[in-house]
Amino acid sequence: MKIVTPVVNNPEFIYIQYYTLKKYFKGDYEFIVFNDAKPFPDFTNGNDSTIHDKISNLCNSLGIKCIPVPNLHQQKMDCPVVRCAQAMDFMY
């Protein structure tokens, strides 16, 4: 079984999911994180350009497969739903 989750700007979310799955899931599974954090300062990541790398490094240290979502939404768009939809399309 594959368990897939998108993560945007919140490395703590990975800890919670990882340890919850480890504690309660009894079957074999592969935990896969899609890292949609921006590697540049933005209001959505609190102007912290290191969030993307923090998520990747955390996944590596926990042995979680981490797939970076290409920055499909570099250009400023009026509608954040479009950015979200592009990232979700990539994950599918």
Side-chain angles (χ1 to χ4, degrees):
M1 173 179 278
K2 294 182 188 295
I3 299 171
V4 177
T5 189
V7 176
V8 181
N9 305 326
N10 191 355
E12 294 298 318
F13 181 69
I14 297 169
Y15 277 120
I16 294 167
Q17 280 196 314
Y18 175 79
Y19 288 110
T20 300
L21 289 170
K22 193 171 180 132
K23 182 174 183 177
Y24 294 107
F25 201 84
K26 302 301 179 195
D28 292 330
Y29 65 92
E30 179 183 15
F31 184 30
I32 303 169
V33 168
F34 281 91
N35 184 356
D36 191 28
K38 296 177 185 87
F40 54 86
D42 186 66
F43 77 94
T44 61
N45 62 9
N47 292 317
D48 184 354
S49 61
T50 65
I51 295 289
H52 187 271
D53 290 337
K54 287 178 185 176
I55 291 171
S56 295
N57 293 337
L58 176 60
C59 288
N60 286 338
S61 70
L62 295 175
I64 299 169
K65 184 175 183 177
C66 183
I67 300 171
V69 175
N71 193 13
L72 303 169
H73 39 266
Q74 278 184 332
Q75 56 188 332
K76 182 167 176 55
M77 296 181 186
D78 293 332
C79 183
V81 175
V82 173
R83 294 191 301 263
C84 179
Q86 289 174 337
M88 295 303 285
D89 282 345
F90 173 81
M91 288 181 231
Y92 286 127

